[in-house]
Structures are given as C-alpha cells and as structure tokens.
Amino acid sequence: MPTEPLPELAPDFVPFATAALDFHQAINMPVAPVAAGRAELDSLHAHVVALYGLLDAHTVRTTPVARAEGDHLRACRIRLWQAAEHLHAAFHAAPRPSSGRLPTREACRARLPEGAPELTVCQRHLATAARVRRDHTPADLRDPFTGLTRH
C-alpha cells in the first residue's frame, strides 16, 4: 500500500544537542571524583525532561502506524521519566549552595520546597509529572519490564 511522502523536515538538531553534551562533558567534567553540583543536576533534569517530550511526540505519532516501534518508544519514554525522577531526587540530596552542607535526613524526607531558584526544578518536574500521570499507570512507571522481549 503506497504511503504519502514525508514532508520536508527542518534540519535535525538532535545531533547538535548530542555533540553539545559530549563537548560539555569533555571541558567541564573534572578528572577527580567530585559530586555533581545542583546547577549541573538542574541542567541535566531539564535536558532529560526535554528529551522525554521529544520521545513523547515520536511515540504518539509512531504507535498508530508501527505498533512494535511505538511500544519500544513508550518503554524508552517511561525510562526517561524514571531518570528524571532520580535526577530530581539527586538535586534535593546535593549540598546546599549557600552552606555547602548536605541536607539532613529529615529535610530529605519532608521534601519541602526550598524556594527560588531551587523551586524551578520542582516546577518543571511537577508540570511533566502531570503529563506522565495522564499517559501512564503507576504500574507502568514502576514496572522493571521494558517490553523488549514482546516483539
């Protein structure tokens, strides 16, 4: 069955984003073991959430025409959300910029907002979490099965 040709696509910026990440790692990552700072974790969270959005768009467009491929993209999207959850938690577990001290165990458990600019990561995370909850069940988000053996 003939399909309509794809429209002319804009230049692909994903390879540039990948190259930028590689360049960032090459010039900014210290050789010595050093904990990631809050600014770095915030940037990584923003990047993973943006990548989640890109995969979400691909998943929605692909699944109706290529079910197996769509299932794999859906599994990838779920894993990216899980990565964003861990980055968000790592941000709040990182040393405070004002004091350089780690938060207390009670502060980590309370999960209280810390105010601006630290609240920005929480706002981004909560906005994406609302979308994630619409698209996935809690079982999907906690399931270790990636779907890779179904096809």
Side-chain angles (χ1 to χ4, degrees), residues 5 26 31 37 46 63 65 87 134 150:
V31 177
T63 302
V65 294
L87 283 167
R134 280 193 309 267
R150 288 190 295 190

Side-chain angles (χ1 to χ4, degrees), residues 28-114:
N28 290 328
M29 294 299 296
V31 177
V34 176
R38 290 179 139 224
E40 180 81 359
L41 293 169
D42 184 24
S43 294
L44 287 170
H45 184 270
H47 189 76
V48 168
V49 167
L51 193 53
Y52 176 91
L54 179 62
L55 274 169
D56 183 47
H58 280 295
T59 303
V60 168
R61 294 181 62 192
T62 301
T63 302
V65 294
R67 182 97 175 127
E69 183 181 351
D71 282 348
H72 289 293
L73 289 173
R74 186 173 184 277
C76 183
R77 184 177 62 175
I78 289 170
R79 298 308 168 255
L80 275 174
W81 175 247
Q82 291 170 338
E85 289 266 48
H86 286 290
L87 283 167
H88 183 243
F91 176 87
H92 288 293
R96 303 288 187 255
S98 56
S99 66
R101 295 175 40 199
L102 292 172
T104 64
R105 191 172 282 208
E106 293 77 27
C108 286
R109 283 192 191 127
R111 296 183 177 205
L112 297 174
E114 302 171 46

